[in-house]
Amino acid sequence: MNTYTNVKDLGDLHRAVQEALEVKRDRFAYQHLGRNKTLLMVFFNSSLRTRLSTQKAGMNLGMNTIVLDVNQGAWKLETERGVVMDGDKSEHLLEAIPVMGSYCDIIGVRSFAGLKDKAFDYEETILNQFIRYSGKPVFSMEAATGHPLQAFADLITIEEHKRTARPKVVMTWAPHPRALPQAVPNSFADFMNEADVDFVITHPKGYELDERFVRGARVEYDQMKALEGADFVYAKNWSAYRDPHYGQILSTDRNWTVDERHMAVTNNAFFMHCLPVRRNMIVTDEVIESPQSLVIPEAANREISAEVVLKRMLTPNP
Ligand code: CP
């Protein structure tokens, strides 16, 4: 595996989940693969789970890890070509990337959508520059349009907790005070469309996601109707995708906050969220603290999804 940016990079998804469960049973079984190899994790944005779980995954595989927080202690980087660099940015990404590549064997990149320039975001300009110029395998640690390590961990968690062969999984928009990217819901939709689940998306009108990720999945604008009989409720906020409102907040309606009233119409559903979560905006204290909440095991599975991706990147191509 040379890149990991979306569900397709995993190939057979059922096989990938089985591999994840096998890795979870003995996460130190592949230490030989990472011996004398270096993982570089480059963060343009903050992180708790991705930083810790991916570093842990690398250590499980015997790797050395280096973490670079681009906005803390590194030179300020210019990302656009053709810019006269007479401002506060001292280095161009086009030199910085191959230099970073020279110090490591695999690179993980976190670079969120700016939510100002839709084309720049949806072309995955920064992630693709790493893929093109680093000379090393590159994986997304949440880029502008996707968070495939999170969605893979979500699928592993669903597989571990499902009570029927084909569970109903409902992804619901929920309110948030700040404009957030569409990366997590895009990737979750991408994975659920490939998985053996009954997938439903619910959100207020105006929050339609990119059809390349929705791929014809059922969209139900009535949240309560969507949640009826759900086995898993996956809550997430995102800002508007469609023009002319790209990156904007269109609603902060707290009727969409997942509470006990919503969970009561489900099939005793499990509650999921990628974290960090704003309590009593996205979900109430009662729901996130209930026995049906999977947010902690879901976060713990981030170590496993990262380990499968790194293991595959370290394994010589057959
Ligand atoms: N879910 C997730 O990616 O968490 P962090 O932003 O803390 O890494």
Side-chain angles (χ1 to χ4, degrees):
M1 185 191 269
N2 233 17
T3 57
Y4 181 61
T5 63
N6 63 60
V7 67
K8 300 268 185 246
D9 292 324
L10 287 176
D12 183 328
L13 197 52
H14 176 72
R15 227 178 103 196
V17 171
Q18 295 312 309
E19 187 177 334
L21 298 176
E22 188 245 330
V23 163
K24 192 167 178 174
R25 281 191 289 275
D26 184 1
R27 57 194 81 191
F28 303 108
Y30 297 94
Q31 286 248 320
H32 58 283
L33 287 177
R35 192 166 171 271
N36 295 335
K37 303 279 187 192
T38 299
L39 166 64
L40 172 62
M41 299 160 62
V42 182
F43 287 92
F44 289 83
N45 307 95
S46 304
S47 166
L48 186 155
R49 279 143 291 274
T50 304
R51 176 184 300 259
L52 296 178
S53 62
T54 311
Q55 186 161 1
K56 176 67 164 54
M59 286 157 56
N60 292 349
L61 291 163
M63 300 187 82
N64 302 308
T65 56
I66 307 172
V67 180
L68 178 67
D69 287 299
V70 171
N71 297 321
Q72 288 170 21
W75 301 111
K76 268 193 141 181
L77 293 175
E78 178 57 62
T79 56
E80 309 249 11
R81 253 188 108 249
V83 170
V84 177
M85 289 174 58
D86 59 355
D88 62 339
K89 294 178 178 165
S90 307
E91 179 155 24
H92 203 289
L93 204 57
L94 293 179
E95 284 78 56
I97 289 173
V99 170
M100 292 185 222
S102 73
Y103 301 140
C104 66
D105 300 282
I106 297 175
I107 305 183
V109 181
R110 165 160 287 201
S111 174
F112 290 173
L115 298 178
K116 299 266 185 295
D117 181 341
K118 185 173 177 177
F120 185 87
D121 291 344
Y122 271 71
E123 283 163 16
E124 285 290 9
T125 310
I126 292 180
L127 184 65
N128 282 327
Q129 285 182 340
F130 274 88
I131 291 170
R132 191 160 168 201
Y133 297 114
S134 70
K136 295 291 154 68
V138 171
F139 64 98
S140 166
M141 298 195 300
E142 186 171 346
T145 66
H147 196 356
L149 284 177
Q150 180 65 52
F152 187 19
D154 297 335
L155 179 59
I156 296 164
T157 310
I158 290 170
E159 185 64 28
E160 288 177 321
H161 290 85
K162 70 183 186 185
R163 296 164 299 204
T164 58
R166 194 163 187 277
K168 180 175 178 182
V169 178
V170 179
M171 179 170 78
T172 178
W173 178 93
H176 194 281
R178 292 181 55 210
L180 299 186
Q182 300 94 31
V184 169
N186 282 346
S187 278
F188 189 72
D190 218 15
F191 272 70
M192 289 304 108
N193 281 319
E194 294 282 329
D196 193 11
V197 301
D198 173 16
F199 182 48
V200 181
I201 304 171
T202 184
H203 55 71
K205 288 211 165 132
Y207 279 99
E208 291 77 11
L209 293 163
D210 186 344
E211 190 49 43
R212 282 172 294 178
F213 299 99
V214 174
R215 291 198 262 153
R218 184 178 145 210
V219 176
E220 170 57 64
Y221 294 102
D222 181 333
Q223 188 192 28
M224 292 303 271
K225 195 168 163 197
L227 291 170
E228 278 172 17
D231 297 295
F232 294 88
V233 175
Y234 190 92
K236 186 71 186 87
N237 172 268
W238 63 89
S239 59
Y241 165 74
R242 288 193 176 166
D243 296 327
H245 299 297
Y246 178 68
Q248 293 177 9
I249 295 174
L250 305 180
S251 170
T252 52
D253 182 357
R254 284 180 49 199
N255 286 314
W256 284 75
T257 302
V258 178
D259 60 15
E260 287 173 319
R261 179 178 57 98
H262 293 94
M263 297 303 283
V265 302
T266 69
N267 182 26
N268 194 26
F270 290 107
F271 175 81
M272 300 179 71
H273 188 279
C274 63
L275 303 182
V277 70
R278 300 250 183 170
R279 281 178 176 227
N280 304 306
M281 286 295 295
I282 300 280
V283 58
T284 59
D285 292 323
E286 290 75 24
V287 171
I288 198 168
E289 291 171 5
S290 76
Q292 294 307 100
S293 174
L294 293 180
V295 295
I296 306 304
E298 184 183 354
N301 276 335
R302 290 292 307 279
E303 178 183 338
I304 306 304
S305 63
E307 186 165 342
V308 172
V309 168
L310 290 172
K311 171 178 168 276
R312 288 185 175 197
M313 287 186 159
L314 288 166
T315 304
N317 288 331

